[in-house]
């Protein structure tokens, strides 16, 4: 009956946030969400498979802290210029994850942390091209992407 | 007391966001290339959205939030369409 | 300034703090956007405004409306979620468009495609 429970749940939440938490709005929102998820089912997108729910808070915390840290770092670079030895540059990193949801989550993480931007992904070589604002040590960035994010994402999305 | 603090903070924030919008507009005029102008437009509408939210705090009205949401959605779609146009030379293939 | 509803002092200070953090990060991002020399460096500047610029102002608005209307107001979080999901999409599309154009002009500062493909 509900092909995409996560989608239905978030649609109901969004409806309630926009129009107020009342029982009547809850019924209306549930109706809209159920029909919308049926409509979504006819498009047949890939279903995200989240295997380890308990690791999600860990990922959110890591990303939250990284966003604060890189905000400060990028603000410093923009105001006072780069430190000696820092330059911007392209960086190609081979990835192991294949799951589409995990890839898009990784793209969102890397782009919304200031200082790194996801340019393009090649599905044949499974390589991603990044652009990094303060590239001092390439291995450090590769290590950050592979060990800090990719490992966790591979565990969460089977 | 707290009204004065909020009033000052809202005015300062509006000044800063206004300056950011002016800078984004400057980048739109300067270019040099089409992609620079589009990313300038993107920055401009995100800042406009933030400005509307600060207007909401300043006046205490919730209607500005909805306007901000509409600007965000239209801006996203227009930026995507413009980027697609740059890549292929047409929007709908 | 009669239109500002009185809220507790600690609330006002928190609102002012988050507002100013958000607004100044947006401004710093815009300044960097003007100063950085190449397009690929410039795509990093707006992410300041779309991460903690939005985040700070959203938090300020949430605290203010929650305190002034005496009930939980968190619908601003929708703007935050929306912007967090859409910014990577726009930046990625723009960057790919720029790469495509630079490669078409044989710009040597841009890395070439990983493999030679003709199917594009």
């Amino acid at each position: 009956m509900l092909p995409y429970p996560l989608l239905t749940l978030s649609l109901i939440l969004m409806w309630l946030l926009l129009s107020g938490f009342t029982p009547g709005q809850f019924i209306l929102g549930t109706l809209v969400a159920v029909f919308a998820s049926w409509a979504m089912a006819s498009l047949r997108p890939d279903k995200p498979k989240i295997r380890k729910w308990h690791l999600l808070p860990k990922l959110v915390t890591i990303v939250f802290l990284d966003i604060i840290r890189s905000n400060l770092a990028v603000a410093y670079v923009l105001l006072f210029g780069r430190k000696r030895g820092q330059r911007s540059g392209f960086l190609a990193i081979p990835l192991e994850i294949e799951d589409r949801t995990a890839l898009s989550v990784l793209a969102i993480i890397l782009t919304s942390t200031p200082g790194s931007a996801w340019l393009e992904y090649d599905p044949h070589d499974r390589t991603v091209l990044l652009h990094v604002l303060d590239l001092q040590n390439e291995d450090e960035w590769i290590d950050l992407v592979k060990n800090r994010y990719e490992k966790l994402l591979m565990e969460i999305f089977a | 007391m707290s009204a004065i603090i909020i009033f000052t903070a809202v005015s300062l924030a509006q000044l800063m966001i206004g300056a950011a919008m002016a800078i984004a507009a400057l980048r739109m005029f300067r270019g040099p290339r089409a992609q620079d102008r589009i990313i300038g437009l993107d920055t401009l509408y995100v800042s406009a959205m933030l400005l509307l939210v600060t207007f909401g705090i300043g006046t205490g009205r919730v209607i500005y939030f909805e306007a901000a949401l509409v600007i965000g959605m239209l801006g996203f779609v227009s930026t995507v369409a413009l980027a697609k146009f740059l890549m292929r030379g047409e929007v709908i293939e | 300034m009669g239109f500002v509803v009185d809220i507790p002092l600690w609330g006002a200070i928190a609102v002012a703090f988050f507002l100013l953090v958000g607004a100044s990060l947006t401004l710093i991002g815009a300044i960097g956007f003007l100063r950085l020399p190449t397009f690929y460096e410039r795509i990093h500047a707006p992410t300041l405004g779309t991460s903690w610029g939005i985040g700070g102002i959203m938090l300020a608005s949430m605290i203010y409306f929650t305190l002034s209307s005496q009930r939980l107001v968190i619908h601003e979080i929708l703007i935050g979620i929306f912007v967090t999901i859409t910014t990577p999409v726009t930046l990625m599309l723009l960057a790919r468009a720029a790469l495509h154009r630079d490669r078409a002009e044989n710009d040597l500062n841009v890395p070439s495609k990983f493999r030679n493909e003709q199917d594009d």
Side-chain angles (χ1 to χ4, degrees):
Chain A
M1 172 161 156
L2 289 179
Y4 298 96
L6 259 183
L7 176 80
T8 318
L9 196 70
S10 29
L11 275 177
I12 295 175
L13 257 180
M14 190 182 120
W15 186 276
L16 290 180
L17 279 173
L18 278 174
S19 53
F21 288 83
T22 56
Q25 294 292 357
F26 178 73
I27 295 170
L28 198 57
T30 310
L31 272 178
V32 171
V34 166
F35 278 106
S37 61
W38 287 347
M40 190 74 174
S42 64
L43 292 173
R44 296 178 209 284
D46 284 348
K47 212 171 177 175
K49 296 183 209 73
I50 303 181
R51 229 184 21 179
K52 292 185 177 165
W53 285 91
H54 59 277
L55 284 173
L56 272 181
K58 190 183 168 196
L59 180 73
V60 172
T61 323
I62 287 180
V63 171
F64 190 76
L65 292 178
D66 279 2
I67 287 181
I68 296 180
R69 218 189 40 206
S70 60
N71 256 296
L72 294 176
V74 172
Y76 183 87
V77 168
L78 293 184
L79 285 178
F80 306 109
R82 289 193 194 90
K83 284 187 202 131
R84 200 175 283 269
Q86 282 183 340
R87 64 198 165 79
S88 68
F90 296 94
L91 192 60
I93 300 181
L95 291 179
E96 281 156 45
I97 37 177
E98 274 181 81
D99 186 62
R100 282 175 172 223
T101 326
L103 272 175
S104 44
V105 172
L106 186 62
I108 288 178
I109 292 174
L110 285 177
T111 315
S112 50
T113 19
S116 57
W118 175 287
L119 297 187
E120 64 177 1
Y121 176 71
D122 189 328
H124 291 264
D125 293 354
R126 297 200 283 161
T127 323
V128 63
L129 185 65
L130 296 182
H131 189 269
V132 180
L133 188 62
D134 46 354
L135 189 65
Q136 204 162 15
N137 187 352
E138 287 193 12
D139 296 334
E140 229 170 74
W141 274 98
I142 294 177
D143 180 63
L144 178 87
V145 174
K146 304 256 347 155
N147 292 332
R148 205 174 163 85
Y149 302 132
E150 197 188 1
K151 259 192 194 155
L152 201 57
L153 281 172
M154 281 177 83
E155 273 190 60
I156 294 175
F157 299 97
Chain B
M1 181 65 192
S2 55
I4 300 173
I5 294 177
I6 289 186
F7 181 76
T8 323
V10 166
S11 317
L12 271 176
Q14 282 171 354
L15 268 180
M16 284 195 260
I17 297 171
M21 285 175 74
I23 292 173
L26 190 64
R27 178 52 83 190
M28 265 174 83
F29 284 122
R30 261 207 206 163
R33 304 196 63 198
Q35 55 261 42
D36 294 292
R37 292 180 213 272
I38 297 177
I39 209 168
L41 179 72
D42 193 74
T43 318
L44 187 72
Y45 87 74
V46 169
S47 316
M49 214 160 84
L50 291 180
L51 193 63
L52 277 174
V53 177
T54 59
F55 273 137
I57 300 179
T59 57
R61 283 198 205 143
V62 194
I63 187 77
Y64 287 104
F65 159 77
E66 276 145 36
L69 210 56
V70 170
I71 288 195
M73 289 189 181
L74 289 181
F76 166 64
V77 173
S78 61
T79 315
V80 167
L82 283 168
K84 189 101 175 54
F85 179 75
L86 269 196
M87 215 173 335
R88 303 279 179 156
E90 54 198 320
V91 179
I92 300 166
E93 307 176 55
Chain C
M1 54 194 102
F3 49 82
V4 177
V5 183
D6 238 14
I7 63 172
L9 188 64
W10 61 269
I13 291 172
V15 170
F17 172 75
F18 282 119
L19 257 182
L20 292 179
V21 165
S24 47
L25 276 174
T26 313
L27 183 59
I28 291 172
I31 292 172
F33 186 53
L34 194 67
R35 280 181 56 184
L36 289 171
T38 68
F39 172 78
Y40 297 103
E41 286 169 86
R42 279 199 284 268
I43 55 175
H44 297 294
T47 53
L48 274 184
T50 55
S51 57
W52 263 94
I54 285 257
I57 289 174
M58 221 174 62
L59 273 175
S61 171
M62 267 153 55
I63 296 171
Y64 177 75
F65 281 109
T66 301
L67 289 176
S68 69
S69 65
Q70 308 279 332
R71 62 188 176 86
L72 196 62
V73 179
I74 49 169
H75 58 210
E76 282 86 352
I77 209 162
L78 283 179
I79 292 192
I81 294 172
F82 181 75
V83 169
T84 316
I85 294 175
T86 55
T87 314
V89 178
T90 50
L91 288 185
M92 206 184 310
L93 269 173
L94 266 175
R96 283 185 60 202
L99 278 174
H100 180 76
R101 293 181 59 155
D102 283 343
R103 279 172 186 153
E105 290 165 10
N106 287 322
D107 190 332
L108 291 177
N109 294 319
V110 175
S112 56
K113 274 223 156 145
F114 303 122
R115 71 206 157 80
N116 300 318
E117 59 173 346
Q118 304 295 325
D119 57 338
D120 200 22

